[in-house]
Amino acid sequence: MKIQNVFKRYEVKYILTRKQYLALRTRMAPYMKADEFGQSTICNLYYDTPDFLLIRRSLEKPLYKEKLRLRSYGAAGKDTMVFAEIKKKMDGIVYKRRISLKEPEAMDFLSGGADPLDSQISREIRYLLKRYPGIAPRVFLAYNREAFYGKEDDNFRMTFDDSILWRDYDLTLTKGAFGHALLTNGEVLAEFKTAGAFPLWLVEFLSKNQIRKVSFSKYGHAYQQITESMKKEGKRYA
């Protein structure tokens, strides 16, 4: 089965200590329900040009930015359905458009092969591929995620990511999660996703615990670690 999805929402991020995370899990219990696939290991391949143009532009915090990635839930096999996603952010609002294909089919499509869907979203992906010569997988990112949605408003979602790992080799979804750690000391990346306002109980919790939102891109931080390593070794982009 091939699936298309479109999302439009605000996404706000916070870096939590382990203590803050445990306190929030307790506070949210009366209001949030675990997603059906709430606990999972998410694997991503981020596509970029040889000189990392997409992420460099994104880190400049422009009004508009976009990313292309391929996502699986757990290590992918030849029959695993994976998601090819365009993620755009404009004026603080995140738009995500994705299609679902089998892993070999998706890899071929994103390498310039045949479009198996010929849909509006797949044509948008093909157009992006043509706009950025040399675009290909550059970074693998994986993390363990817990996902929840509101009991009264199922459009309000909360996710918690830890054990965030990246690598710039073995760029495939088929080998599972391993690589370099992105966060330390048991920190957790919390992300709250909504089309409207935060619920009052959450606003009060964040204020009481002096938790402030952060600008945090997993791919961006991985890229910064890559460039720091390259500088130490005297290397440059291909």
Side-chain angles (χ1 to χ4, degrees):
M1 181 175 63
K2 300 177 176 67
I3 304 171
Q4 297 189 62
N5 296 107
V6 179
F7 303 89
K8 174 185 176 182
R9 60 200 179 193
Y10 291 98
E11 297 183 353
V12 186
K13 299 176 182 178
Y14 302 83
I15 300 292
L16 306 180
T17 65
R18 180 61 55 173
K19 182 178 179 180
Q20 290 171 334
Y21 161 72
L22 293 174
L24 178 53
R25 285 296 307 273
T26 299
R27 184 69 183 96
M28 65 189 265
Y31 307 101
M32 304 297 294
K33 185 175 182 179
D35 188 88
E36 181 181 359
F37 304 102
Q39 293 187 336
S40 58
T41 298
I42 299 179
C43 302
N44 304 276
L45 282 180
Y46 280 85
Y47 282 66
D48 215 325
T49 62
D51 62 351
F52 292 93
L53 178 61
L54 287 174
I55 190 58
R56 287 192 292 109
R57 284 181 175 172
S58 177
L59 292 173
E60 293 171 355
K61 302 187 184 304
L63 183 64
Y64 170 82
K65 56 186 177 182
E66 60 188 352
K67 295 175 184 174
L68 174 65
R69 70 187 177 198
L70 189 63
R71 167 172 288 187
S72 67
Y73 292 85
K78 65 179 181 179
D79 293 322
T80 302
M81 300 302 289
V82 300
F83 294 94
E85 302 180 342
I86 299 177
K87 189 173 183 180
K88 305 178 181 181
K89 189 171 185 179
M90 180 180 294
D91 229 2
I93 302 177
V94 175
Y95 302 83
K96 186 168 70 175
R97 300 168 67 77
R98 67 185 188 180
I99 57 173
S100 181
L101 302 165
K102 288 184 178 181
E103 190 272 341
E105 201 173 33
M107 290 295 291
D108 179 68
F109 173 48
L110 295 182
S111 297
D115 181 346
L117 288 179
D118 191 29
S119 65
Q120 174 62 34
I121 297 176
S122 66
R123 288 193 290 271
E124 289 179 24
I125 293 174
R126 182 174 289 283
Y127 178 68
L128 187 149
L129 293 170
K130 289 181 178 179
R131 280 208 338 266
Y132 297 101
I135 192 169
R138 301 295 170 194
V139 171
F140 171 94
L141 267 162
Y143 39 90
N144 296 329
R145 168 167 287 183
E146 296 177 294
F148 302 84
Y149 63 90
K151 291 180 179 179
E152 295 185 1
D153 177 10
D154 60 10
N155 288 315
F156 176 68
R157 303 185 66 82
M158 302 174 68
T159 61
F160 300 96
D161 298 339
D162 64 7
S163 302
I164 305 173
L165 303 171
W166 69 269
R167 63 180 187 259
D168 56 355
Y169 54 91
D170 287 335
L171 296 175
T172 173
L173 296 176
T174 64
K175 292 189 176 182
F178 62 90
H180 309 284
L182 208 59
L183 294 177
T184 58
N185 302 320
E187 291 175 321
V188 176
L189 176 63
E191 191 166 352
F192 308 146
K193 309 173 185 187
T194 179
F198 283 1
L200 181 59
W201 64 265
L202 178 58
V203 173
E204 291 175 343
F205 176 88
L206 296 173
S207 177
K208 179 182 178 180
N209 291 276
Q210 298 184 328
I211 299 172
R212 305 287 181 258
K213 67 179 182 179
V214 297
S215 176
F216 187 95
S217 162
K218 299 184 190 77
Y219 179 30
H221 276 68
Y223 164 74
Q224 290 171 339
Q225 290 188 15
I226 291 170
T227 55
E228 288 171 5
S229 177
M230 291 175 70
K231 287 178 181 178
K232 290 179 182 178
E233 297 175 9
K235 295 181 179 179
R236 305 184 67 178
Y237 301 130

